[in-house]
């Protein structure tokens, strides 16, 4: 007697579990219908006879719906790149000498043409004064020779010698001025200087590195993209960069240069991006994550809850003339708020069911809920779990 009660209790539990599975699992009814078990269990809906095919209890099924829209697929790539300044100049000494003056400090900003430092230039000053005196004498001699040549007192050959002496004196003056200019180091661009390792009194040799000036108003980032997107990128195309040291910082930029050759080993193409740095938060040498998106084909877009699954693959329930119609689809892309699908039997503007799908069959009558009204119980939860 005790065994009979246990068997009866097991059958009751099994029946209850079967009912819940059939009622709330969307894939259950198509599976039972495939094996012809719905009629055996007495669960066939009256859709074929009375046209009221709905839930397990008959009548129209209340559902929430959404409209099918159209969106473009996106091909998003990310790459790592290293930043460098828009312009960077390393200043070197043009001549040997002792530093007599430094006009900047570490980390300061200099403008184009500003004197960065001076070398001892007393000898060059003397040479310049001597050249000026020689030029004045040569000019005077040449003018006297021209006046005498007009009276015939000076031969043409002699006048030519004075003209050559004048020209030599002018060149000597230019050389003295150039030598004096070499005793000053001038900034060729505007920008920031690094940390100085120089002091007044230090002696430098020709071609010694003195200071580096960096223009970081814009940062250039070199990175590589796969060859499959070579035909999609173009100069001026927008992108987004994030410093690896500050992932929460997303900065806009654009492509400024594209290499002409694909690397054979990595099958990638070198690309250069340009990122404005008005806030002066970026530095040359920083590592960046670069993200680019490329629009693709336009496909149908439905909410994630609209996509259901069965043994035959994904499908959606479309509402046509007040009845549910099962439409097979192919999933192309999943996003957090939409699923892009393709289907020859579904079009833009059609209505699909997002909630209340657990008791639907092909041809079931449906009743649309008021806008914004949520379905209670397990309907919404089950629809979400099905995706």
């Amino acid at each position: 007697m005790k065994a009979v009660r246990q068997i009866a209790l097991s059958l009751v539990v099994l029946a209850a579990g079967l009912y819940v599975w059939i009622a709330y699992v969307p894939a259950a009814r198509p599976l039972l219908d495939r094996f012809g078990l719905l009629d055996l269990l007495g669960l066939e809906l009256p859709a074929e006879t009375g046209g009221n095919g709905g839930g397990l209890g008959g009548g129209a099924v209340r559902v929430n719906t959404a409209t099918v829209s159209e969106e473009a697929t996106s091909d998003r790539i990310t790459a790592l790149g290293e930043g460098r300044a828009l312009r960077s100049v390393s200043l070197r000494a043009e001549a040997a000498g002792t530093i007599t003056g430094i006009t900047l400090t570490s980390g300061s900003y200099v403008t184009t043409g500003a004197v960065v430092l001076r070398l001892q230039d007393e000898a060059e000053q003397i040479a310049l004064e001597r050249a000026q005196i020689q030029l004045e004498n040569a000019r005077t001699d040449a003018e006297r020779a021209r006046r005498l040549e007009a009276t015939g007192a000076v031969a043409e050959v002699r006048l030519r010698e004075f003209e050559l002496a004048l020209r030599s004196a002018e060149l000597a003056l230019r050389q003295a001025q150039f030598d004096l200019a070499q005793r000053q180091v001038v900034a060729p661009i505007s920008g920031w200087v690094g940390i100085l390792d120089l002091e007044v009194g230090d002696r430098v040799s020709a071609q010694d590195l003195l200071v580096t000036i960096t223009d970081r108003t814009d940062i250039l980032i070199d990175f590589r993209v796969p060859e499959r997107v070579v035909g999609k990128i173009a100069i001026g195309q927008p992108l987004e960069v994030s410093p690896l040291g500050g992932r929460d910082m997303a900065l806009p930029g654009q492509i400024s240069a594209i290499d002409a050759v694909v690397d054979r080993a990595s099958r990638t193409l070198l690309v250069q991006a340009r990122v404005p740095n008005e806030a002066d938060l970026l530095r040359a040498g920083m590592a960046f994550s670069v993200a680019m998106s490329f629009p693709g084909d336009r496909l149908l877009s439905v909410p994630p809850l609209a996509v259901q699954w069965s043994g035959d693959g994904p499908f959606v329930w479309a509402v046509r003339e007040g009845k549910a119609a099962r439409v097979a689809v192919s999933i192309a892309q999943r996003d957090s708020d939409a699923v892009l699908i393709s289907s020859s039997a579904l079009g833009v503007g059609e209505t699909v069911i997002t909630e209340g799908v657990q008791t639907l069959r092909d041809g079931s009558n449906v009743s649309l809920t008021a806008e914004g009204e949520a379905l209670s119980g397990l309907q919404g939860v089950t629809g979400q779990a099905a995706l």
Side-chain angles (χ1 to χ4, degrees), residues 91-361:
L91 297 184
R92 297 181 181 274
E94 296 293 340
T98 302
I99 298 176
T100 58
I102 300 177
T103 61
L104 47 76
T105 58
S106 297
S108 61
Y109 184 84
V110 296
T111 56
T112 303
V115 177
V116 175
L117 58 83
R118 295 183 177 89
L119 300 177
Q120 188 176 32
D121 58 1
E122 184 175 355
E124 287 73 21
Q125 291 282 4
I126 295 173
L128 177 61
E129 292 182 12
R130 181 182 295 111
Q132 290 172 340
I133 294 173
Q134 291 174 350
L135 176 60
E136 291 177 3
N137 290 335
R139 186 178 290 119
T140 301
D141 292 341
E143 291 176 355
R144 184 184 302 111
R146 292 191 193 101
R147 290 193 300 268
L148 293 175
E149 193 270 340
T151 63
V154 175
E156 184 178 352
V157 175
R158 184 62 175 166
L159 177 61
R160 180 62 177 169
E161 292 177 355
F162 284 116
E163 294 287 353
L164 291 176
L166 175 60
R167 181 57 178 161
S168 296
E170 290 174 345
L171 294 177
L173 178 61
R174 288 178 57 187
Q175 182 64 51
Q177 291 172 337
F178 176 78
D179 292 340
L180 180 60
Q182 297 300 296
R183 313 307 291 179
Q184 294 182 347
V185 179
V186 179
I189 63 171
S190 298
W192 287 263
V193 300
I195 297 178
L196 296 177
D197 191 21
L198 298 172
E199 296 291 345
V200 173
D202 287 346
R203 182 170 179 81
V204 296
S205 301
Q207 299 306 310
D208 280 356
L209 178 62
L210 303 177
V211 65
T212 298
I213 301 177
T214 302
D215 178 6
R216 56 175 185 260
T217 52
D218 288 345
I219 296 295
L220 303 179
I221 303 175
D222 295 331
F223 63 99
R224 291 187 171 274
V225 298
E227 63 178 350
R228 64 183 173 82
V229 300
V230 169
K232 300 180 181 180
I233 59 177
I235 301 296
Q237 183 172 339
L239 47 77
E240 188 177 85
V241 304
S242 298
L244 294 187
R247 287 286 189 173
D248 56 341
M249 184 189 306
L251 304 173
Q254 63 180 15
I255 294 178
S256 59
I258 302 173
D259 201 2
V261 180
V262 173
D263 182 70
R264 293 183 178 180
S266 63
R267 313 310 304 176
T268 58
L269 181 68
L270 181 63
V271 179
Q272 184 182 92
R274 184 166 177 168
V275 181
N277 190 30
E278 293 91 347
D280 197 30
L281 300 176
L282 309 178
R283 295 292 185 273
M286 293 177 65
F288 294 88
S289 174
V290 183
M292 301 180 63
S293 296
F294 304 94
D297 299 331
R298 298 194 66 82
L299 298 175
L300 301 178
S301 175
V302 297
L305 288 176
V307 181
Q308 308 298 316
W309 290 86
S310 70
D312 298 327
F315 67 93
V316 298
W317 290 108
V319 179
R320 295 171 178 173
E321 298 181 354
K323 298 181 180 296
R326 177 170 169 165
V327 180
V329 299
S330 296
I331 297 178
Q333 179 177 312
R334 294 176 181 269
D335 296 325
S336 59
D337 57 349
V339 178
L340 301 187
I341 60 175
S342 60
S343 174
S344 58
L346 195 67
V348 177
E350 286 200 63
T351 301
V352 293
I353 299 174
T354 57
E355 295 182 79
V357 299
Q358 69 279 355
T359 59
L360 290 178
R361 292 193 66 202

